[in-house]
Amino acid sequence: MKHRHDRQRPVRPGTAPGTISIDKDAPRPVIEVIQFDHESLRRLQNISPDAIPQVADDSVTWIDIIGLGDKKVIQQVAERFDIHSLAMEDVVNTHQRPKLEAFDDHLYIVLQMPSRNGSLELEQISLFVGKNYVLTWQERTGDCFDPIRERLVLPKGMIRTHGNDFLAYALIDAIVDAYFPLLNQYSDALDEIEDQLTVALPQQPVIQRLHHLRSEIRTVRRAVWSHRDLLASILTYDGDLIGRDARLHLRDVADHTLRLVEMMEISRDSCSDLQDLYLSTVSLKMNEVMKVLTIIATIFMPLGFIAGLYGMNFSREVSPWNMPETHWYYGYPMALAIMIGVAVGMLCYFRRLGWIGQSASN
């Protein structure tokens, strides 16, 4: 199964490093700016790159850009914040794994934000942390940052009273926490599949759903492990763009990634166990069918022997062996009685062995 995040736009071989290649299907950028300090907050929506306010030393500026469909806007923003061309190349080529890249005056952090609207999608979030500003770049509308925007409205919130590194921590924490509801959905789905597998013979849609979940869990597992490595890189960063308070809170986010890894391992093991349960259930049902067919064939084997013996039509005139049953008036009923007696005797014997009883109980 192929997910959206696995589709990579082809890059022409030999393209110069730092080349910005725009996807024609990408939406046009929409810029929103929130500039705040512990006393005031200003919010600007749907503005042009020229209208982005200057970054001040006594406030924090959060520039949130949604869309990658305009090369001119992307270049203007990159020039405005002096972002390295290699970093901008990774911004528009949205198949990067979560990572941290440290430049002279800013950090570039790549994250993958999960969403599941019918099928799994991982959206790349590019986050730049500079002096007194945070720049986020999203592929499309819809994110998990609304709680942060609501917390920014509160004048005494921790984000308002701390610096831009704390805002970056809050954004990273929101993306990592967005994986927990997704994993809970997987856990509930796996429990439901387990109930279906243990009640009756599994149907084809159940098996298809199990394979679909297994594929998604494998993909999310890769993303979770990458975020774990990303948090480890951030915690070992020794520059001045991440302060002590933000670093302490990022340690808590790293603990969340460890919990996610454990949950993903449990879900992956559950998929393997359910697949083994399915194969065992199918094998058990097949064994029961073969047992019934074997019992039927075993019963009819002596009956066929008796019918064949008396069907040879030997006569006492041509054979030295005397078979009076062939000329006896009750010979035919006697042969039927022997067959019935043999069949009943074998059924009683099989029942005594427990073959028939076990088959019925299962």
Side-chain angles (χ1 to χ4, degrees):
M1 179 180 177
K2 197 174 184 66
H3 300 296
R4 178 188 179 277
H5 55 274
D6 291 326
R7 297 198 301 265
Q8 302 180 7
R9 287 190 297 110
V11 179
R12 182 179 173 182
T15 302
T19 301
I20 298 178
S21 179
I22 301 299
D23 186 356
K24 62 179 181 179
D25 297 327
R28 291 181 57 82
V30 177
I31 302 176
E32 177 184 3
V33 175
I34 299 179
Q35 196 170 44
F36 61 91
D37 54 26
H38 65 282
E39 294 181 351
S40 62
L41 181 144
R42 182 173 62 155
R43 186 170 184 175
L44 305 175
Q45 294 179 322
N46 198 13
I47 62 176
S48 64
D50 297 333
I52 298 177
Q54 293 292 331
V55 176
D57 294 336
D58 56 349
S59 64
V60 176
T61 304
W62 176 19
I63 305 97
D64 185 24
I65 306 177
I66 302 174
L68 298 168
D70 193 324
K71 183 176 181 179
K72 182 179 179 180
V73 172
I74 293 175
Q75 291 176 335
Q76 288 178 333
V77 175
E79 293 174 359
R80 175 70 180 274
F81 293 94
D82 195 21
I83 298 176
H84 199 279
S85 60
L86 293 177
M88 292 309 303
E89 180 184 8
D90 291 343
V91 170
V92 298
N93 295 323
T94 57
H95 55 268
Q96 310 297 321
R97 66 186 303 270
K99 62 179 180 178
L100 168 67
E101 293 184 359
F103 295 91
D104 294 336
D105 57 350
H106 64 269
L107 298 177
Y108 175 43
I109 302 174
V110 178
L111 303 111
Q112 290 181 341
M113 182 175 62
S115 63
R116 194 168 188 267
N117 298 320
S119 61
L120 174 66
E121 292 188 354
L122 295 180
E123 177 185 355
Q124 175 175 311
I125 305 296
S126 298
L127 189 148
F128 294 90
V129 182
K131 185 178 180 181
N132 298 320
Y133 79 87
V134 173
L135 171 63
T136 55
W137 218 308
Q138 307 181 41
E139 297 183 51
R140 58 188 180 276
T141 58
D143 55 36
C144 57
F145 299 151
D146 287 339
I148 298 176
R149 297 184 180 97
E150 295 173 359
R151 288 159 58 187
L152 283 173
V153 178
L154 303 176
K156 296 183 179 181
M158 294 186 64
I159 302 179
R160 290 280 296 272
T161 57
H162 289 69
N164 61 319
D165 55 350
F166 200 87
L167 173 61
Y169 142 74
L171 297 174
I172 297 173
D173 182 55
I175 293 176
V176 171
D177 288 347
Y179 282 90
F180 283 101
L182 182 64
L183 297 188
N184 291 332
Q185 292 179 16
Y186 289 148
S187 179
D188 294 340
L190 291 174
D191 291 340
E192 182 181 351
I193 292 177
E194 182 178 6
D195 295 337
Q196 294 175 354
L197 291 178
T198 55
V199 170
L201 184 66
Q203 303 296 323
Q204 190 67 23
V206 177
I207 307 307
Q208 293 177 351
R209 185 183 180 191
L210 177 60
H211 284 291
H212 177 79
L213 287 175
R214 186 179 183 183
S215 177
E216 289 192 356
I217 289 173
R218 187 186 301 113
T219 302
V220 176
R221 179 175 176 270
R222 290 197 300 265
V224 169
W225 274 98
S226 298
H227 282 91
R228 178 191 176 186
D229 297 338
L230 167 65
L231 267 298
S233 300
I234 295 177
L235 291 177
T236 57
Y237 169 74
D238 57 356
D240 56 355
L241 292 176
I242 298 180
R244 180 175 179 275
D245 291 340
R247 197 181 302 272
L248 290 175
H249 286 80
L250 285 170
R251 289 169 53 184
D252 181 65
V253 182
D255 291 337
H256 291 178
T257 60
L258 293 178
R259 289 177 52 195
L260 289 174
V261 169
E262 294 176 354
M263 294 175 65
M264 289 306 308
E265 294 300 325
I266 293 174
S267 297
R268 189 184 66 161
D269 293 341
S270 297
C271 286
S272 300
D273 293 341
L274 289 177
Q275 186 176 20
D276 294 339
L277 176 61
Y278 164 69
L279 296 176
S280 300
T281 303
V282 173
S283 178
L284 179 61
K285 296 296 181 181
M286 183 62 66
N287 290 338
E288 291 182 359
V289 173
M290 295 303 297
K291 183 194 297 185
V292 173
L293 295 178
T294 303
I295 291 175
I296 294 175
T298 305
I299 292 174
F300 275 90
M301 283 175 61
L303 305 186
F305 170 76
I306 296 173
L309 180 64
Y310 283 95
M312 290 188 292
N313 296 324
F314 284 128
S315 176
R316 70 177 62 187
E317 288 83 4
V318 298
S319 175
W321 300 98
N322 188 6
M323 295 182 64
E325 296 87 356
T326 59
H327 297 281
W328 186 30
Y329 180 78
Y330 296 104
Y332 182 68
M334 182 202 68
L336 292 179
I338 293 175
M339 293 180 183
I340 294 174
V342 171
V344 173
M346 295 183 69
L347 288 174
C348 294
Y349 179 69
F350 292 154
R351 186 174 184 85
R352 183 177 179 181
L353 293 178
W355 294 357
I356 300 179
Q358 290 180 357
S359 177
S361 64
N362 290 335

